[in-house]
Amino acid sequence: MGTIFRQRLLTILSIIIQFTFFLHTVQSLQLQTFQKLPIPANGPESMAFDSKGHGPYTGINDGRIVKYLGPKKGFVDFATTSANRTKKLCDGNTNSNLELTCGRTMGLEFNHKTGQLYALDARYGPMVVGPNGGLATPLAPGQPGLEGVPHDLPDGLDVDQVTGDVYFTYAGSVFLTGNLTLILSGDTGGRLLKYDPKTKKVTLALDGLSGPFGNAVSKDGKYVLITEYITRTIRKFWLKGPKANTSEVIVTLPGHPDNIKRTNSGNFWVAQTIINLDSTPPSSIPLGQKINAHGKILETLKLDSEYPDKSISEVNEHDGSLYIGTGSTNFVGLFLR
Ligand SMILES: *[C@@H]1O[C@H](CO)[C@@H](O)[C@H](O)[C@H]1NC(C)=O
Ligand SMILES: *[C@@H]1O[C@H](CO)[C@@H](O)[C@H](O)[C@H]1NC(C)=O
Ligand SMILES: *[C@@H]1O[C@H](CO)[C@@H](O)[C@H](O)[C@H]1NC(C)=O
């Protein structure tokens, strides 16, 4: 090998290395561009994108489900969950005492085949919204498994995109006390429920859960991952195969997990809050972590400078960008990639 050739090879290698490094730097720099998409009330708890990739849609604490139309138009009305809701009383209201009248959507996901939007209301339980929005319809009024409403907390929801089955969680009645010490002391009254659109029946899938705030069905429909807020764990409940109907803990997290959302590639983002009960009032450090099917942590996103001393409820990846949900802020956070 001649000297000149070797030098050229080294130069080319060095350019490749520098370029790779440059790309990597650009990617992490872009992720630091944090934007706030204003919402017309507070608390964009959970988000969903429709089959055309439009959205996000999010449920806010004045009872509306709103849809994002881009930076110029912002969020506009899409649906509501309470038949008793009036725009005059509820729009822009941030007082949770009006939840029963105005509604409050916690979990949200589309069935991408039918275009239906499934919403889990904190007071009215699981509901469905047609492709054009408007007033949601209760999925299974008065059926077994739903008798907990309103004395239990409906919280997380996802759709099995293979079968159309809807999985949702009731986090347990202890959460209605709002006493964090009591909550973290170990309730096991949470449940995972399943709605089958073919039979229109709700059945119990798994009980004995410790604060199941969120759930996400795998891309292939073989299992559901469930967050357990109290124990800081992710539980894998098998839907198919030899382990069907059994569950196992796949990871213990640094923070208390809220919603879990599947990514296009089949991994999951888990929104978490590290809570320090020793400080008065208790302090919070929010973070998101991306995990794979086995609970291996692939990425960690610290959010303490964007959400100082707040908890976050969701990290939702869409086209590589990350949308951040919370129970309290008046915006959806966005890290554009
Ligand atoms: C809705 O309004 C009707 C009629 O006023 C009332 O009977 C019903 O209890 C209300 N439901 C709720 C959940 O507030
Ligand atoms: C919360 O629950 C704990 C344990 O039961 C109790 O000691 C404490 O007084 C409660 N705090 C409030 C504000 O109710
Ligand atoms: C799982 O449980 C459901 C409901 O109890 C039951 O219908 C189904 O047959 C069970 N499946 C297996 C593989 O045990």
Side-chain angles (χ1 to χ4, degrees):
M1 213 193 278
T3 316
I4 294 180
F5 181 77
R6 211 179 298 165
Q7 273 175 357
R8 278 196 187 150
L9 191 70
L10 279 178
T11 313
I12 291 170
L13 269 179
S14 137
I15 289 174
I16 291 175
I17 290 170
Q18 281 179 24
F19 187 66
T20 315
F21 185 74
F22 170 71
L23 276 185
H24 184 81
T25 317
V26 166
Q27 231 185 16
S28 43
L29 274 181
Q30 279 189 347
L31 192 56
Q32 297 189 359
T33 322
F34 181 69
Q35 296 177 32
K36 296 176 177 180
L37 312 181
I39 55 163
N42 275 339
E45 173 85 22
S46 177
M47 288 164 283
F49 292 86
D50 64 26
S51 47
K52 295 193 186 100
H54 296 161
Y57 297 70
T58 185
I60 59 179
N61 71 352
D62 72 357
R64 279 180 282 180
I65 296 171
V66 290
K67 174 186 179 182
Y68 186 62
L69 293 183
K72 282 203 186 108
K73 290 181 178 161
F75 283 95
V76 299
D77 291 6
F78 182 70
T80 54
T81 48
S82 167
N84 283 3
R85 190 184 194 283
T86 64
K87 286 185 79 63
K88 189 163 179 274
L89 179 70
C90 302
D91 277 14
N93 163 64
T94 53
N95 177 355
S96 62
N97 295 343
L98 287 178
E99 256 178 24
L100 190 58
T101 310
C102 301
R104 174 56 162 138
T105 295
M106 304 298 279
L108 205 60
E109 193 50 82
F110 279 90
N111 176 324
H112 288 298
K113 279 184 201 148
T114 65
Q116 287 166 308
L117 176 63
Y118 288 95
L120 187 64
D121 187 279
R123 302 292 190 148
Y124 299 102
M127 311 192 85
V128 63
V129 182
N132 300 320
L135 181 62
T137 313
L139 279 190
Q143 277 189 23
L146 302 179
E147 74 284 352
V149 178
H151 307 296
D152 197 345
L153 184 67
D155 207 324
L157 177 143
D158 195 21
V159 177
D160 181 337
Q161 300 295 343
V162 181
T163 60
D165 291 341
V166 181
Y167 288 90
F168 57 97
T169 60
Y170 278 13
S173 54
V174 66
F175 288 93
L176 298 177
T177 66
N179 181 337
L180 209 50
T181 312
L182 194 64
I183 289 166
L184 297 181
S185 75
D187 179 60
T188 56
R191 296 173 290 166
L192 177 74
L193 298 153
K194 171 186 164 182
Y195 170 76
D196 181 339
K198 291 180 281 294
T199 62
K200 301 202 184 326
K201 288 260 153 37
V202 171
T203 50
L204 177 70
L206 186 64
D207 59 8
L209 298 168
S210 284
F213 275 13
N215 65 284
V217 184
S218 67
K219 212 173 171 177
D220 58 11
K222 286 191 177 149
Y223 60 89
V224 189
L225 295 189
I226 309 158
T227 62
E228 291 186 281
Y229 185 85
I230 297 171
T231 47
R232 289 190 287 113
T233 47
I234 304 288
R235 185 175 287 278
K236 189 178 207 170
F237 177 63
W238 291 94
L239 301 175
K240 294 188 185 132
K243 291 202 237 171
N245 284 352
T246 68
S247 77
E248 71 226 23
V249 168
I250 57 166
V251 62
T252 300
L253 302 160
H256 296 274
D258 196 329
N259 289 343
I260 177 168
K261 281 278 177 174
R262 189 181 50 254
T263 69
N264 262 344
S265 61
N267 293 314
F268 304 87
W269 273 102
V270 188
Q272 305 166 40
T273 306
I274 299 171
I275 296 168
N276 180 6
L277 279 181
D278 293 333
S279 68
T280 24
S283 64
S284 299
I285 302 172
L287 78 157
Q289 284 185 313
K290 192 185 207 170
I291 64 166
N292 69 11
H294 310 290
K296 183 172 182 247
I297 290 164
L298 306 173
E299 227 178 296
T300 296
L301 175 69
K302 287 193 72 191
L303 289 160
D304 46 337
S305 41
E306 291 80 10
Y307 295 88
D309 202 27
K310 283 206 152 47
S311 59
I312 58 159
S313 55
E314 183 165 302
V315 177
N316 194 320
E317 185 178 317
H318 181 70
D319 284 346
S321 296
L322 299 178
Y323 293 79
I324 316 295
T326 70
S328 54
T329 63
N330 61 358
F331 59 86
V332 166
L334 168 60
F335 287 100
L336 207 54
R337 257 208 265 220

